[in-house]
């Protein structure tokens, strides 16, 4: 692809089915009813000049540049606000119109700097283009009168500048912030000549405003008023490649716009079915980590974790890796080795890692980060419905009448989808939020939850059971749906259970700390409000009852008939970009790709015949079991691709002990992460910009990842895994990820119809893609559940073993923040640190005052597992007795605090409920300082040490 910007049709497309035929400049054109004259002309290849119009927002009609003449109509209406009509005859270019447009453009140019030759937007500026389009050659008014030139530029945002001297007050940025993002951070301040764009009346600049830096305003701006800093530094792009974002599970599609080998900017692709042309601060701007100085580009080895790293060639690194793995396998057996796949790598790369472990190492000791986030989703949804994934596409929310969010924070974790959700709520959908914190979805501009149920952490099952109690006992269950689609006997057993008095909102109020009347009101709303959709996140799954909560959610959806059509469903919001895909690819120790059990002989034979090996029929070890076995001495080597388990997994001390006990730890990543402190071999990884492959997002959408630049380390990640496999004698011959995808399709029923060629042609596919669903399945369970009859499961509320008491009276829960991502390895190496330079501990004012703490104070955070220190943020977003922090910064080591309690079915850690005590502190603990020193020693590279000594 060259550098051809996507066409801008001026106004959004009409979705009407009725067609209208009109004539524009003598050409007969047929378009859907409701289409604007401007868009009709553009779709026919015409170009009506415009400044205030763009197809990402509603028509506005303020610039007066897009005027036309229409036979039989008075005046010169704006084409952007004029809908087509049957038989309409439109003239877009007449002497009268030409004169008027030129006069309008003269007024704009008379108050605009004439620095086109040195402007970074030169030849990429709509004002410049339209001045040429209307034939403007001179300005009669001069430049000596009042004007806006010379106004100071706001450079506060790390990614873009705001130059008000170039602003034409078209309001496109304001409307984009409103209609596309939904933050409403921008406004037009003043009137007439005094009109100007303001980032909120209460702020002095963009950085201190409510702007979330999603980039919608920058993309909408027709001039250089809002300009990306990289455009100024590097220049205009000359080519573009469409690829998929490697941050959260929304899976946004972007144009990676390049100048030579330099990435200039990431522009959201308007045809992206997951993001529909929108983006967030991470995907849009936070890609600088790919070229960060911390990135390791050469393989390294060391005999002991106390030794400095030695840089070696790829041949030496691969040979040494294979020899170590073979030595340990020969000495201690196949089950002494294992691997961890990455939820940030492609489907093809995850598939190869689990294949290497099974076919090369010889056992099933493979796991993935989904173990510590969404494994209860797989168990719960497969038990209830027969599939281990969400039921809807993202567009479905626009047909929802009631949205229930539980244990998720969409504005921070999945901001692009949150914008779509907010748009639907502003259109009139009702909202129920179940969360211990007052997240932004509870209250933000033009958004107000109808019910916020601030439950006590750990009581998800109790709240959901109380909701079900109301629905069943008040006769609100959808019995016709249940009889037709679900097991009626199981439903009756479940209904009898939830109807018991001890499951009523009143009885459970002391447990959940949610008012009974609020639970009753929310239950009635969800059961009777129309299409009801449930969206959940890690606040559901990362509990000792995570699987029970997922089952309770499925019960609620089935009991109200909210499955199998648009606007309803059960929708897990996946945290990392390819959590869904890594699960699909067979990254769990008991499952091959497609969620088929390793113990099934017929399934195993398929893989054995294809791979030419004999597979171990016994399930392997999960991550916590590998660490336990390492401490016991029976597990000796691990290959970790693209995961930092020392920072992300619970009980950091235990993770460190397990890694330290191993003979060979292989870390395959971009940076010397925290896990690499205990590694013996480091294999430098590649970024998503440097590889081909596919990601699968939270809506089961398989999307292509396309190579934008050559890998700085020399190899894509899949090639490195293949080098390891072949050094161990496996003889793999892949030359492109499309061949790996073909193998996945051969062996995975839900991927049967997926191929690289088809993805290139169609853009994306939502599994299952097979004979039954040849074009994919945006909505699941339309005619029936995959398992046959939907299964109701009784979900008893079992309190967590993690109890508060005199020593640890508070409950800690954890989560994410918008500007940072997961363990922060990527975002901490970008400008995003300006918003979140450190993890903070949120405390209610009452709890802070009781402990003599105020904003910014250092506090000691201690649990039964360990302790750390961090600064306090006093806020009423959390209830008394509950505290909250993020885990993005390794200096905090938040997971030193979390315990080893985990979900009863899947071992998903209970990150969300930890009993803690908080007390004043003078700064970092001795343990943190010791850890930082150890990390510094671990990151020593021999050649660099010698160079520093010579200097």
């Amino acid at each position: 692809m060259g550098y051809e910007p996507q066409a801008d049709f001026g106004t959004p497309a009409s979705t009407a089915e009725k067609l209208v035929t009109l004539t524009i400049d003598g050409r007969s054109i047929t378009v859907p009813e409701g289409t604007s004259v401007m868009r009709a002309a553009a779709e026919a290849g015409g170009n009506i000049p415009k400044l205030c119009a763009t197809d990402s927002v509603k028509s506005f009609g303020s610039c007066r540049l897009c005027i036309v003449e229409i036979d039989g109509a008075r005046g010169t209406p704006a084409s952007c606000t004029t809908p087509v009509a049957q038989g309409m005859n439109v003239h877009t270019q007449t002497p009268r119109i030409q004169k008027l447009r030129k006069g309008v453009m003269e007024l704009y140019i008379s108050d605009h700097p004439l620095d086109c030759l040195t402007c970074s937007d030169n030849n990429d500026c709509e004002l410049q283009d339209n001045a040429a389009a209307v034939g403007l050659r001179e300005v009669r008014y001069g430049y000596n009168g009042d004007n806006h030139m010379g106004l100071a530029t706001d450079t506060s945002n790390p990614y873009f500048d705001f130059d008000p001297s170039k602003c034409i007050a078209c309001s496109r940025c304001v409307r984009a912030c409103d209609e596309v993002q939904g933050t409403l951070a921008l406004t037009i301040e003043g009137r007439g000549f005094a009109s100007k764009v303001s980032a909120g009346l209460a702020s002095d600049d963009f950085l201190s405003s409510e702007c979330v830096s999603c980039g919608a305003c920058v993309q909408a701006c027709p001039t250089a008023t809002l300009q990306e800093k990289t455009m100024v530094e590097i220049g205009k792009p000359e080519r573009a490649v469409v690829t998929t974002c490697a941050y959260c599970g929304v899976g946004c599609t972007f144009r990676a716009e390049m100048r030579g080998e330099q990435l200039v900017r990431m522009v959201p692709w308007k045809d992206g079915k997951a993001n529909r042309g929108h983006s967030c601060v991470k995907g849009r701007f936070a890609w600088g980590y790919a070229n960060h100085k911390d990135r390791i580009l050469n393989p390294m080895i060391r005999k002991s974790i106390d030794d400095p790293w030695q840089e070696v060639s790829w041949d030496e690194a691969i040979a040494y890796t294979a020899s170590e793995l073979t030595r340990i396998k020969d000495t201690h057996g196949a089950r002494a080795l294992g691997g961890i796949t990455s939820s940030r790598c492609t489907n093809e790369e995850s598939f190869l890692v689990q294949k290497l472990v099974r076919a090369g190492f010889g056992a099933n000791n493979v796991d993935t980060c989904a173990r510590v986030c969404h494994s209860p989703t797989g168990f719960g949804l497969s038990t209830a419905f027969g599939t281990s994934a969400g039921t809807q596409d993202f567009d479905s929310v626009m047909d929802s009448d009631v949205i229930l969010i539980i244990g998720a924070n969409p504005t921070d974790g999945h901001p692009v989808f949150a914008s779509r959700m907010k748009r639907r709520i502003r259109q009139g959908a009702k909202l129920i939020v179940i969360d211990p914190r007052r997240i932004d979805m509870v209250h933000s501009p033009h958004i107000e939850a109808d019910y916020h149920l601030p439950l006590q952490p750990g009581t998800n099952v109790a709240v959901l059971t109380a909701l079900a109690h109301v629905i069943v006992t008040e006769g609100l269950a959808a019995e016709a749906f249940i009889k037709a689609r679900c097991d009626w006997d199981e439903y009756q057993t479940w209904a009898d259970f939830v109807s018991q008095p001890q499951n009523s909102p009143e009885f459970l109020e002391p447990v959940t700390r949610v008012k009974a009347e609020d639970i009753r009101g929310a239950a009635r709303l969800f059961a009777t409000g129309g299409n009801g959709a449930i969206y959940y996140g890690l606040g559901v799954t990362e509990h000792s009852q995570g699987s029970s909560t997922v089952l309770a959610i499925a019960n609620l959806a089935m009991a109200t008939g909210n499955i199998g059509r648009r606007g309803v469903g059960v929708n897990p919001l996946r945290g990392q970009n390819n959590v869904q895909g890594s699960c699909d690819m067979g990254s769990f120790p008991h499952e091959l790709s497609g969620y088929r059990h390793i113990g099934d002989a017929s399934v195993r034979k398929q893989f054995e015949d294809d791979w030419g090996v004999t597979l171990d029929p016994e399930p392997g070890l999960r991550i916590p079991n590998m660490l336990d076995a390492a401490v016991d001495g029976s597990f000796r080597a691990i290959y970790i691709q693209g995961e930092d388990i020392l920072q992300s997994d619970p009980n950091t001390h235990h993770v460190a002990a397990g890694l330290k006990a191993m003979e060979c730890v292989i870390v395959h990543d971009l940076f010397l992460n925290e896990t690499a402190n205990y590694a013996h071999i480091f294999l430098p990884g590649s970024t998503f910009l440097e590889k081909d492959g596919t990601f699968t997002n939270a809506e089961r959408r398989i999307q292509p990842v396309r190579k934008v630049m050559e890998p700085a380390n020399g190899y894509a990640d899949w090639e490195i895994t293949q080098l390891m496999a072949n050094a161990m004698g496996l003889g793999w011959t892949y030359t492109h990820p499309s061949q790996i995808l073909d193998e996945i399709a051969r062996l995975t029923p839900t991927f049967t119809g997926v191929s690289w060629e088809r993805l290139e042609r169609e853009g994306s596919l939502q599994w299952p893609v097979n004979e039954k669903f040849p074009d994919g399945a945006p909505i699941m369970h339309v005619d029936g559940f995959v398992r046959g009859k939907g299964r109701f499961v009784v979900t008893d509320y079992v309190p967590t073993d993690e109890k508060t008491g005199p020593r640890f009276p508070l409950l800690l829960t954890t989560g994410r923040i918008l500007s940072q991502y997961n363990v922060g390895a990527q975002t901490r190496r970008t400008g995003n640190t300006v918003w979140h330079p450190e993890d903070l501990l949120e405390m209610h004012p009452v709890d802070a005052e009781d402990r003599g703490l105020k904003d910014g104070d250092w506090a000691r955070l201690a649990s039964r597992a360990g302790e750390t220190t961090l600064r306090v943020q006093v806020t009423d977003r959390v209830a008394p007795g509950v505290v909250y922090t993020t885990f993005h910064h390794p200096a905090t080591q938040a997971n030193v605090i979390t315990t080893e309690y985990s979900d009863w079915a899947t071992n998903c850690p209970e990150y969300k409920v930890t009993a803690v005590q908080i007390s004043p502190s003078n700064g970092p603990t001795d343990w943190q300082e010791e850890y930082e020193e150890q990390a510094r020693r671990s990151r020593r590279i021999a050649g660099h040490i010698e160079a520093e000594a010579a200097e």
Side-chain angles (χ1 to χ4, degrees):
M1 174 186 289
Y3 184 69
E4 300 86 22
Q6 280 194 278
D8 187 342
F9 295 97
T11 61
S14 170
T15 57
E17 295 183 2
K18 182 180 177 181
L19 299 179
V20 170
T21 299
L22 70 158
T23 301
I24 301 180
D25 294 334
R27 293 175 295 175
S28 180
I29 297 168
T30 301
V31 293
E33 185 178 48
T35 301
S36 71
V37 169
M38 174 182 284
R39 187 176 184 101
E43 289 182 355
N47 180 28
I48 298 176
K50 63 185 186 299
L51 285 174
C52 74
T54 182
D55 56 15
S56 63
V57 295
K58 300 172 187 173
S59 56
F60 197 54
S62 72
C63 74
R64 307 307 300 166
L65 204 62
C66 72
I67 54 174
V68 294
E69 292 188 37
I70 300 173
D71 288 355
R74 297 175 58 186
T76 53
S79 61
C80 65
T81 57
T82 303
V84 298
Q86 182 65 35
M88 177 183 281
N89 190 20
V90 181
H91 308 279
T92 70
Q93 193 77 5
T94 66
R96 179 190 181 197
I97 291 171
Q98 188 175 7
K99 182 179 179 180
L100 291 170
R101 285 179 183 159
K102 189 178 292 186
V104 169
M105 184 57 74
E106 275 189 279
L107 292 170
Y108 279 116
I109 297 300
S110 71
D111 192 23
H112 195 83
L114 294 182
D115 59 351
C116 292
L117 289 179
T118 57
C119 178
S120 59
D121 250 16
N122 188 27
N123 293 321
D124 196 25
C125 171
E126 292 181 46
L127 186 68
Q128 185 184 54
D129 293 343
N130 283 294
V134 302
L136 185 66
R137 296 294 177 265
E138 62 179 350
V139 177
R140 294 168 292 171
Y141 307 117
Y143 296 92
N144 296 323
D146 289 343
N147 60 62
H148 296 94
M149 299 181 202
L151 296 177
T153 300
D154 177 0
T155 61
S156 62
N157 189 285
Y159 298 119
F160 60 83
D161 295 335
F162 172 62
D163 183 354
S165 70
K166 296 181 178 179
C167 180
I168 60 174
C170 65
S171 293
R172 273 166 61 162
C173 60
V174 177
R175 290 147 54 210
C177 189
D178 177 356
E179 299 174 30
V180 179
Q181 168 57 28
T183 298
L184 289 85
L186 305 182
T187 186
I188 296 289
E189 180 184 334
R191 301 185 66 182
F193 185 77
S195 298
K196 64 176 183 178
V197 171
S198 172
L201 300 178
S203 61
D204 296 324
D205 53 37
F206 269 79
L207 186 62
S208 61
S209 74
E210 293 182 348
C211 169
V212 294
S213 298
C214 68
C217 61
V218 179
Q219 189 171 358
C221 182
T223 69
T225 305
L226 286 161
Q227 182 63 281
E228 290 172 64
K229 295 178 189 286
T230 51
M231 282 285 289
V232 178
E233 295 164 2
I234 301 173
K236 181 182 174 181
E238 58 188 13
R239 64 184 177 91
V241 179
V242 175
T243 191
T244 304
C245 180
Y247 276 118
C248 78
V250 173
C252 297
T253 311
F254 281 89
R255 279 167 54 99
E257 298 189 347
M258 305 289 295
R259 187 172 183 85
E261 281 292 299
Q262 285 186 290
L263 179 58
V264 178
R265 61 185 177 187
M266 295 285 282
V267 178
W269 180 244
K270 290 195 290 187
D271 296 333
K273 293 183 174 65
N275 58 318
R276 301 294 181 187
H278 190 32
S279 59
C280 80
V281 62
K282 294 189 286 288
R284 183 72 157 91
F285 298 118
W287 40 263
Y289 67 88
N291 301 313
H292 195 274
K293 62 181 178 60
D294 288 351
R295 187 172 168 193
I296 304 298
L297 300 179
N298 298 310
M300 301 187 299
I301 61 176
R302 58 183 178 181
K303 295 292 184 181
S304 164
I305 63 173
D306 296 319
D307 295 336
W309 287 103
Q310 303 285 335
E311 290 186 349
V312 296
S313 68
W314 272 108
D315 287 345
E316 186 177 351
I318 294 299
Y320 181 72
T321 301
S323 67
E324 282 293 278
L325 292 172
T326 301
R327 175 186 65 80
I328 293 169
K329 180 179 177 180
D330 291 345
T331 305
H332 301 284
R335 294 184 181 180
L337 289 74
I340 299 175
T341 74
S342 175
S343 292
R344 289 180 287 161
C345 290
T346 64
N347 287 320
E348 294 73 17
E349 288 161 344
S350 290
F351 186 83
L352 286 195
V353 170
Q354 64 87 30
K355 180 179 180 179
L356 172 64
V357 171
R358 291 187 161 105
F361 296 0
N364 293 303
N365 297 332
V366 64
D367 209 349
T368 185
C369 90
R371 159 79 48 234
V372 300
C373 59
H374 266 289
S375 49
T377 287
F379 177 85
L381 296 188
S382 62
T383 299
F385 302 153
T387 54
S388 299
T391 63
Q392 315 292 119
D393 62 2
F394 288 143
D395 287 341
S396 173
V397 76
M398 299 309 292
D399 293 304
S400 298
D401 300 306
V402 182
I403 299 169
L404 191 158
I405 302 171
I406 176 170
N409 187 359
T411 56
D412 282 17
H414 306 85
V416 171
F417 177 64
S419 294
R420 197 174 312 178
M421 188 182 285
K422 289 192 288 185
R423 193 178 314 141
R424 178 60 188 145
I425 293 166
R426 291 199 303 272
Q427 291 173 355
K430 303 298 183 182
L431 176 63
I432 301 165
V433 176
I434 306 175
D435 199 284
R437 296 173 71 230
R438 191 184 68 247
I439 61 174
D440 285 347
M441 291 301 296
V442 174
H443 177 76
S444 56
H446 297 275
I447 300 293
E448 190 77 39
D450 295 86
Y451 291 95
H452 175 212
L453 310 182
L455 76 170
Q456 179 81 341
T459 62
N460 287 330
V461 172
V463 168
L464 290 165
T465 302
L467 290 168
H469 175 93
V470 176
I471 290 168
V472 172
T473 58
E474 295 189 5
L476 304 178
E479 292 194 356
F481 174 91
I482 296 165
K483 288 177 179 177
R485 300 283 301 274
C486 305
D487 186 301
W488 181 249
D489 290 338
E490 288 177 342
Y491 166 72
Q492 287 183 311
T493 300
W494 173 81
D496 289 343
F497 162 73
V498 299
S499 299
Q500 294 170 5
Q502 63 266 33
N503 288 322
S504 70
E506 290 75 16
F507 187 89
L508 290 172
E509 184 172 331
V511 174
T512 65
R513 297 191 183 179
V514 180
K515 294 178 181 177
E517 67 238 44
D518 288 346
I519 288 183
R520 288 192 176 274
R524 292 164 186 153
L525 175 60
F526 188 76
T528 64
N531 286 340
I534 303 174
Y535 293 89
Y536 71 89
L538 306 186
V540 159
T541 54
E542 291 178 344
H543 287 275
S544 58
Q545 279 199 287
S547 292
S548 297
T549 307
V550 174
L551 287 166
I553 289 170
N555 291 338
L556 196 65
M558 290 186 292
T560 54
N562 281 307
I563 285 287
R565 62 183 186 278
R566 298 195 64 77
V568 299
V570 174
N571 307 284
L573 296 175
R574 305 287 191 169
Q576 295 193 63
N577 56 296
N578 205 33
V579 168
Q580 182 66 60
S582 65
C583 297
D584 298 340
M585 292 301 101
S587 296
F588 290 127
H590 63 292
E591 290 176 336
L592 292 158
S593 62
Y595 305 95
R596 291 163 300 154
H597 203 280
I598 188 70
D600 187 321
S602 61
V603 170
R604 201 167 59 252
K605 187 176 188 304
Q606 282 183 274
F607 286 82
E608 290 175 335
D609 291 346
D610 198 275
W611 294 350
V613 298
T614 299
L615 298 178
D616 187 342
E618 292 297 319
L621 300 176
R622 297 167 173 172
I623 294 172
N625 306 129
M626 295 184 207
L627 296 169
D628 290 341
V631 173
D632 292 343
S634 60
F635 188 84
R636 301 298 182 106
I638 192 167
Y639 169 38
I640 305 172
Q641 183 184 80
E643 291 297 337
D644 189 358
I645 62 171
L646 190 69
Q647 190 177 345
S648 64
D649 282 35
N651 197 339
T652 303
H653 290 306
H654 180 63
V655 177
L659 292 169
K660 192 172 184 178
M662 297 183 201
E663 293 179 35
C664 181
V665 174
I666 307 159
V667 169
H668 177 174
D669 216 312
L670 301 175
F671 307 102
L672 279 171
N673 58 25
E674 305 311 301
T675 304
N677 295 342
Y678 295 89
H680 306 89
I681 299 169
F682 186 88
L683 304 177
S686 56
T687 72
F688 78 108
L689 297 167
E690 301 166 331
K691 63 179 76 170
D692 291 309
T694 58
F695 293 152
T696 306
N697 75 350
E699 52 174 358
R700 296 171 284 103
R701 188 179 300 281
I702 308 159
Q703 301 184 100
V705 179
R706 297 181 178 92
K707 184 190 290 187
V708 174
M709 59 184 75
E710 290 302 312
N713 63 329
Y715 294 102
D717 291 328
W718 68 269
E719 294 176 297
I720 295 168
T721 304
Q722 177 165 267
L723 289 171
M724 289 175 58
N726 289 340
M728 296 184 73
L730 295 185
W732 295 355
T733 58
Y734 307 109
T735 59
H736 189 271
S738 61
Q739 299 166 330
I740 308 170
L741 185 58
D742 289 341
E743 183 174 322
I744 293 167
R746 275 199 313 272
L747 295 171
T748 313
T750 49
F751 275 65
T752 300
V754 179
S755 68
W756 184 256
E757 293 74 20
R758 190 172 177 190
L759 289 171
E760 285 279 272
R761 185 173 65 249
E762 300 182 33
S764 66
L765 292 163
Q766 287 178 267
W767 69 255
V769 186
N770 48 32
E771 288 186 7
K772 187 175 181 181
F773 301 99
D775 298 318
I779 308 297
M780 293 287 287
H781 316 300
V782 173
D783 299 317
F785 291 102
V786 171
R787 71 178 305 277
K789 293 287 188 180
R791 181 181 179 187
F792 282 87
V793 177
V794 170
T795 53
D796 285 298
Y797 166 63
V798 179
T800 174
D801 289 333
E802 180 69 350
K803 302 289 196 300
T804 56
R807 285 184 60 211
F808 303 106
L810 305 173
L811 281 178
L812 169 72
T813 188
T814 61
R816 298 177 178 179
I817 198 166
L818 170 64
S819 58
Q820 296 289 352
Y821 172 70
N822 202 34
V823 296
Q826 294 148 277
T827 45
R828 281 187 283 106
R829 292 175 170 91
T830 70
N832 281 28
T833 53
V834 72
W835 291 288
H836 190 77
E838 61 181 329
D839 294 317
L840 298 173
L841 180 67
E842 291 187 8
M843 294 183 69
H844 190 273
V846 170
D847 292 325
E849 186 175 355
D850 285 348
R851 290 160 178 78
L853 293 166
K854 58 183 184 299
D855 254 344
D857 284 354
W858 282 97
R860 173 179 175 268
L861 175 66
S863 73
R864 294 178 178 91
E867 64 179 60
T868 187
T869 59
L870 65 171
R871 296 183 194 273
V872 168
Q873 183 176 33
V874 180
T875 175
D876 62 359
R877 286 170 67 97
V878 292
V882 176
V883 294
Y884 171 88
T885 191
T886 51
F887 55 92
H888 302 302
H889 295 269
T892 306
Q893 287 295 308
N895 282 324
V896 168
I897 304 301
T898 53
T899 68
E900 289 189 289
Y901 294 125
S902 63
D903 174 51
W904 60 270
T906 66
N907 277 140
C908 184
E910 189 168 51
Y911 292 114
K912 304 304 182 188
V913 186
T914 306
V916 297
Q917 178 58 288
I918 297 168
S919 56
S921 173
N922 293 323
T925 63
D926 292 342
W927 181 87
Q928 285 172 286
E929 292 177 347
E930 290 170 9
Y931 178 84
E932 285 296 305
E933 177 57 32
Q934 178 186 348
R936 281 192 290 271
R937 289 197 307 270
S938 176
R939 291 184 173 94
R940 293 178 302 162
I941 300 173
H944 296 188
I945 295 172
E946 293 160 9
E948 288 172 8
E951 290 177 5

